[in-house]
């Protein structure tokens, strides 16, 4: 029966009472011995023994009281199966015809609906719900919550919620908390928020926490923050909701600020808090804050989830020494631990070590999964290990039972493309077992730009735009490829098309952490409060690296300008500004850590190498794909990136 009909069913009359005796009291002096034994088994188990008594009860014309049956249902959910649940249902309803006898309580019916929902049998739950002669807020909330949590049935949950209101049943805090998870649009969320305020449940901590989650789901950080700031009292659940929302939405700075406020308010963090803050630290490369979080993790000595998050944070902050030390101390490691370490080493330019860890995993760790193999192929790709990559890709199904997926194929296109084997990459794409998506074509386009193949770049860009007509990144990459080749007419044609569409290139941005504060720099932007000192520091650095052989690589300026103008543009690239600021505030023995939103250009790469040599300083730059560790004039990528 369609859900829209189910939610408007008129309550049916109950059938004539059964002649069987129905004991709704629990007086031990009058209860039948069978019922006493049954009640005890329902409360303490074992389940099988309790179920075995059901035929005896039926033969004796006895039925257990609602409390005992409710306990049996809970026991069944914990230790039984759906078949066991249906057996209980038949006992309660005297043959399972869907209509409850008069001696059966609403309490038991609600428990059965909940049982079916927890077993994932939503249609059974709805049939039972439909046949209930009476429904209360618990009945409706159970169904609404089950539908809201089920994949693909959120709209149905909303329809049931509306039917509940039309039936004159007032939602409670649990109803609203559940239905908020089913919001499909900001407009629906706004309407529900208004209803919550109208019935006076906006002060409930549980409801507010769900409201925050709902706003965060739509990326409305301001809306979630308003709900949070309006709260008079807050508990750890609410703090975790707002911190997780900011971290998951990419606002790491906001997440960390809220975490510090939470600590000042006297709340102790738990696993959920720490996982969110570690995510924020990972996104911002804020190693010092991450280390403070590590101190909180120490009390969760055997928490595998937190330890894996810590390894990921250290790897993505470029601190492999910390990651390796933590990995070695872990009392147990799962496939995520090993995979994170392999990927982390590969992203930091230590591909050979990543493959060695993979060999260790094969001999002493868990069976690799598809994520492990992505890390292995990434390691091969970023070290130019074409033969190794082919071997691992070709053997992963035979050795580990892992069928190549799109991510693995994308790694292979990247491997071949970086190695300059563009024709082989195209051949590989056409021979895949599935249609290439825009990600794979974008990987090929990036390789075409790297190796300055304009014809193939145009082909890859055309395929991307066929799949995603609004993808402006493809047009930008294509125009940059033309500019690399000094094909200014073709480049101008692409640029004009983008201007006509209102597309603007994202400027280069770099971030650096100093004293728990993140400083951002934009290419050519000298608005930072310390700009005067930064310009002076840059001038001194240019003087010293020039003595070591640095010359501006103006071919990385993708504009048709005079040489002097190109040099001026190169001078104030965001990573150079960040390096100068880092050198001004450098601490003995600590590397300079920088995060960048775009791939580092060749000129800045050469500059960073020579600065690391002239200043005797380790510089770590993370771009969207990998890390570059500069030390003594050498980069961990071996100039292969």
């Amino acid at each position: 029966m369609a859900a829209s009909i189910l939610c408007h069913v008129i309550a049916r009359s109950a059938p004539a009472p059964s002649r069987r005796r129905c004991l709704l009291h629990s007086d031990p002096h009058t209860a039948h011995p069978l019922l006493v034994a049954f009640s005890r088994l329902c409360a303490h188990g074992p389940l099988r023994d309790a179920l075995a008594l059901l035929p005896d009860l039926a033969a004796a014309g006895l039925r257990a009281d609602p409390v005992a049956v409710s306990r049996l249902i809970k026991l069944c959910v914990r230790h039984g199966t759906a078949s066991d649940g249906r057996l209980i249902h038949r006992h309660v309803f005297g043959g399972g015809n869907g209509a409850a006898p008069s001696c059966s309580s609403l309490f038991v019916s609600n428990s059965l609906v909940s049982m079916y929902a927890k077993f994932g049998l939503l249609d059974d739950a709805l049939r039972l719900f439909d046949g209930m002669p009476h429904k209360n807020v618990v009945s409706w909330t159970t169904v609404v919550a089950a539908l809201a949590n089920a994949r693909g049935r959120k709209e149905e949950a909303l329809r049931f919620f509306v039917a509940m209101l039309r039936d004159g049943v007032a939602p409670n805090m649990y109803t609203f908390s559940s239905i908020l998870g089913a919001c499909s649009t900001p407009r629906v969320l706004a309407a529900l928020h208004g209803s919550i305020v109208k019935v006076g449940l906006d002060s409930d901590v549980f409801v507010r926490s769900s409201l925050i989650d709902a706003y965060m789901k739509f990326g409305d950080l301001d809306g979630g923050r308003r709900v949070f700031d309006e709260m008079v009292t807050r508990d750890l659940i609410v703090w975790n909701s707002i911190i997780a929302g900011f971290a998951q939405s990419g606002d790491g700075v906001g997440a960390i600020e809220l975490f510090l406020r939470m600590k000042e308010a006297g709340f102790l963090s738990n696993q959920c808090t720490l996982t969110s803050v570690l995510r924020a630290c990972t996104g911002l490369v804020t190693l010092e804050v991450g280390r403070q979080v590590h101190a909180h993790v120490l009390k969760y000595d055997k928490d595998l989830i937190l330890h894996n998050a810590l390894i990921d944070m250290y790897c993505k902050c470029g601190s492999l020494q910390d990651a390796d030390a933590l990995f070695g101390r872990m009392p147990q490691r799962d496939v995520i631990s090993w995979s994170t370490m392999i990927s982390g080493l590969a992203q930091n330019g230590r591909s050979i070590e990543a493959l060695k860890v993979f060999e260790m995993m094969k001999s002493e760790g868990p069976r690799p999964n598809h994520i492990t193999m992505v890390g292995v192929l990434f390691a091969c790709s970023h070290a130019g290990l074409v033969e190794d990559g082919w071997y691992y890709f070709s053997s992963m199904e035979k050795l580990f039972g892992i069928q190549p997926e799109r991510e693995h194929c994308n790694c292979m296109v990247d491997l071949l493309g970086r190695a300059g084997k563009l024709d082989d990459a195209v051949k590989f794409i056409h021979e895949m077992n599935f249609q290439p998506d825009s990600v794979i074509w974008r990987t090929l386009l990036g390789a075409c730009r790297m190796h300055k193949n304009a014809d193939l770049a145009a082909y890859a860009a055309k395929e991307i735009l066929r799949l995603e007509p609004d993808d402006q990144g493809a047009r930008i990459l294509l125009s940059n490829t033309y500019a690399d080749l000094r094909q200014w007419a073709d480049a101008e044609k692409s640029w004009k098309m983008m201007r006509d569409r209102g597309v603007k290139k994202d400027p280069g941005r770099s971030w650096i952490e100093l004293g728990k504060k993140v400083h951002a720099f934009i290419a050519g932007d000298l608005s930072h409060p310390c700009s005067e000192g930064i310009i002076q520091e840059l001038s001194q650095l240019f003087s010293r690296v020039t003595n070591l052989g640095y010359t501006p690589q103006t071919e990385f300026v993708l504009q048709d300008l005079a040489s002097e103008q190109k040099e001026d543009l190169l001078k104030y690239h965001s990573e150079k500004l960040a390096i100068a600021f880092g050198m001004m505030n450098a601490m003995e023995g600590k590397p300079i850590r920088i995060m960048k939103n775009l791939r580092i250009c060749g000129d800045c790469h050469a500059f960073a190498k020579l600065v690391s040599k002239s200043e005797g300083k380790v510089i770590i730059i993370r771009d969207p794909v990998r890390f570059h560790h500069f030390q003594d004039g050498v980069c961990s990528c071996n100039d292969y990136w």
Side-chain angles (χ1 to χ4, degrees):
M1 188 179 294
S4 58
I5 300 175
L6 279 172
C7 59
H8 290 98
V9 168
I10 300 173
R12 300 186 179 95
S13 300
S18 168
R19 290 184 178 273
R20 293 178 178 178
R21 200 154 23 114
C22 182
L23 299 180
L24 298 179
H25 55 76
S26 56
D27 186 343
H29 299 292
T30 59
H32 193 284
L34 263 179
L35 288 171
V36 174
F38 180 72
S39 295
R40 185 171 60 250
L41 289 170
C42 289
H44 305 292
L47 174 65
R48 294 296 152 206
D49 291 353
L51 293 175
L53 284 182
L54 288 177
D56 296 336
L57 290 174
L62 298 170
R63 286 187 180 278
D65 66 272
V67 174
V69 174
S70 178
R71 287 173 176 169
L72 179 61
I73 292 169
K74 290 179 181 178
L75 195 65
C76 177
V77 170
R78 289 198 302 270
H79 304 294
T81 65
S83 296
D84 298 328
R86 288 195 173 101
L87 179 65
I88 299 168
H89 186 173
R90 284 196 296 273
H91 173 77
V92 171
F93 283 79
N97 60 6
S102 59
C103 60
S104 180
S105 71
L106 178 60
F107 176 59
V108 171
S109 296
N110 287 341
S111 297
L112 284 168
V113 172
S114 177
M115 176 198 73
Y116 280 124
K118 288 174 181 176
F119 278 129
L121 302 172
L122 271 182
D123 291 335
D124 292 74
L126 292 175
R127 274 193 293 272
L128 175 57
F129 176 83
D130 180 44
M132 290 168 59
H134 304 289
K135 305 177 184 77
N136 62 6
V137 66
V138 176
S139 320
W140 284 100
T141 299
T142 301
V143 171
V144 167
L147 290 168
N149 290 325
R151 180 176 294 182
R153 304 191 75 162
K154 296 189 185 301
E155 288 298 324
E156 205 173 342
L158 289 167
R159 289 198 296 272
F160 267 73
F161 178 75
V162 171
M164 175 184 182
L165 297 176
R166 288 174 178 168
D167 205 41
V169 180
N172 62 18
M173 67 185 97
Y174 302 109
T175 322
F176 278 117
S177 296
S178 299
I179 197 61
L180 282 167
C183 289
S184 53
T185 65
R187 182 180 177 184
V188 172
L189 174 56
L192 281 173
H193 193 167
S195 298
I196 289 167
V197 173
K198 187 175 180 180
V199 299
L201 284 173
D202 54 314
S203 59
D204 181 83
V205 173
F206 200 53
V207 173
R208 276 192 177 268
S209 178
S210 299
L211 265 174
I212 291 169
D213 288 339
Y215 277 108
M216 294 301 175
K217 183 179 75 174
F218 291 114
D220 187 354
L221 300 187
D222 292 337
R225 188 64 177 262
R226 278 195 301 273
V227 174
F228 177 80
D229 289 337
E230 288 169 1
M231 298 180 71
V232 178
T233 59
R234 305 181 182 108
D235 64 3
L236 186 58
I237 294 173
V238 173
W239 280 106
N240 283 342
S241 293
I242 191 75
I243 292 171
F246 272 74
Q248 290 166 8
S249 298
D251 189 347
V253 173
I256 291 171
E257 286 177 354
L258 286 162
F259 172 64
L260 296 176
R261 277 182 59 189
M262 187 190 93
K263 287 172 60 181
E264 290 172 0
F267 286 91
L268 296 176
S269 54
N270 62 9
Q271 184 201 69
C272 180
T273 324
L274 298 174
T275 303
S276 297
V277 179
L278 285 171
R279 181 200 289 260
C281 295
T282 299
L284 289 171
V285 199
T286 49
L287 181 62
E288 295 308 313
V289 176
R291 283 182 172 143
Q292 289 183 33
V293 176
H294 190 168
H296 290 276
V297 174
L298 293 176
K299 61 184 176 183
Y300 301 98
D301 188 43
K302 296 183 180 179
D303 193 307
L304 194 55
I305 293 174
L306 278 176
H307 279 80
N308 287 341
L310 269 173
I311 291 175
D312 188 49
M313 184 273 296
Y314 280 128
C315 286
K316 289 180 178 172
C317 286
S319 184
L320 289 181
Q321 186 176 0
D322 287 315
D324 189 54
L326 177 61
F327 183 76
R329 291 196 307 268
M330 288 175 68
Q332 63 178 114
R333 308 180 189 117
D334 62 4
V335 66
I336 297 174
S337 317
W338 288 94
S339 302
T340 302
M341 198 67 207
I342 290 167
S343 297
L345 287 165
Q347 289 171 341
N348 281 273
R350 290 162 63 171
S351 293
I352 302 301
E353 290 178 56
L355 296 179
K356 287 180 180 177
V357 171
F358 178 59
E359 293 302 318
M360 286 173 54
M361 179 184 184
K362 289 197 294 182
S363 62
E364 62 184 73
R367 187 180 182 86
N369 64 10
H370 73 285
I371 296 173
T372 315
M373 296 312 299
V374 170
V376 169
L377 294 173
F378 184 96
C380 296
S381 171
H382 286 258
L385 304 173
V386 177
E387 290 185 9
D388 295 271
W390 268 120
Y391 167 74
Y392 288 122
F393 180 81
S394 303
S395 62
M396 57 192 275
E397 185 171 4
K398 180 181 177 182
L399 295 179
F400 312 116
I402 303 170
Q403 286 193 339
E405 299 176 9
R406 289 185 186 276
E407 291 174 293
H408 305 111
C409 292
N410 189 52
C411 286
M412 289 304 297
V413 173
D414 190 48
L415 171 71
L416 296 168
R418 286 177 184 276
K421 299 178 180 292
L422 298 178
D423 290 338
D424 289 344
V426 174
K427 184 172 181 284
F428 177 86
I429 291 172
H430 290 309
E431 292 177 352
M432 293 189 311
N433 292 329
F434 41 77
Q435 290 297 314
D437 59 10
S438 59
V439 175
I440 288 176
W441 287 117
R442 202 173 289 116
T443 299
L444 179 65
L445 177 56
C448 291
R449 185 196 170 187
M450 186 186 303
H451 296 287
K452 299 182 180 180
N453 188 322
D455 292 338
L456 197 51
Y459 169 63
K462 181 180 177 182
E463 290 298 316
I464 295 170
L465 294 171
R466 179 178 63 82
L467 295 168
E468 297 183 18
D470 295 327
D471 187 314
Q472 305 307 330
R475 291 188 171 89
I476 291 170
L477 266 176
L478 180 59
S479 65
N480 288 347
T481 304
Y482 288 135
D484 284 336
L485 292 165
R486 302 302 182 257
Q487 296 180 10
W488 299 117
D490 291 322
E492 176 56 33
K493 187 187 297 183
S494 294
W495 288 332
K496 183 179 185 305
M497 190 179 298
M498 288 189 287
R499 285 195 299 270
D500 292 343
R501 289 172 171 263
V503 178
K504 293 183 179 179
K505 288 178 64 175
D506 193 19
R509 301 173 188 269
S510 297
W511 296 267
I512 184 170
E513 179 190 13
L514 180 66
K516 301 179 189 176
K517 184 178 179 182
V518 177
H519 296 259
F521 297 92
I522 301 174
D525 184 355
L526 299 177
S527 62
H528 191 278
C530 300
S531 283
E532 188 174 329
I534 290 170
I535 294 170
Q536 186 176 351
E537 181 71 23
L538 257 183
S539 179
Q540 294 171 1
L541 289 175
F542 275 121
S543 177
R544 290 195 282 272
V545 298
T546 299
N547 292 334
L548 293 176
Y550 169 77
T551 54
Q553 300 180 31
T554 55
E555 64 268 24
F556 290 104
V557 176
L558 304 179
Q559 297 179 45
D560 190 10
L561 301 170
S563 180
E564 294 80 6
Q565 291 175 293
K566 290 183 177 181
E567 288 184 19
D568 286 340
L569 286 175
L570 285 174
K571 186 182 297 183
Y572 298 118
H573 273 193
S574 65
E575 51 267 67
K576 289 191 180 81
L577 296 173
I579 288 171
F581 182 74
M583 293 303 305
M584 290 166 55
N585 298 279
M587 296 179 65
E588 187 68 30
K590 289 195 173 185
I592 294 171
R593 301 177 187 277
I594 296 168
M595 180 178 175
K596 188 169 165 44
N597 68 327
L598 303 175
R599 182 175 181 267
I600 187 172
C601 82
D603 181 73
C604 290
H605 193 270
F607 177 79
K609 284 199 299 183
L610 292 174
V611 169
S612 73
K613 184 175 182 179
S614 70
E615 309 306 303
K617 198 74 179 170
V618 175
I619 301 171
I620 302 172
I621 297 180
R622 171 185 166 188
D623 69 17
V625 178
R626 66 176 300 162
F627 282 85
H628 297 267
H629 293 249
F630 301 95
Q631 186 172 10
D632 297 327
V634 178
C635 180
S636 59
C637 74
N638 293 316
D639 298 338
Y640 188 87
W641 87 99

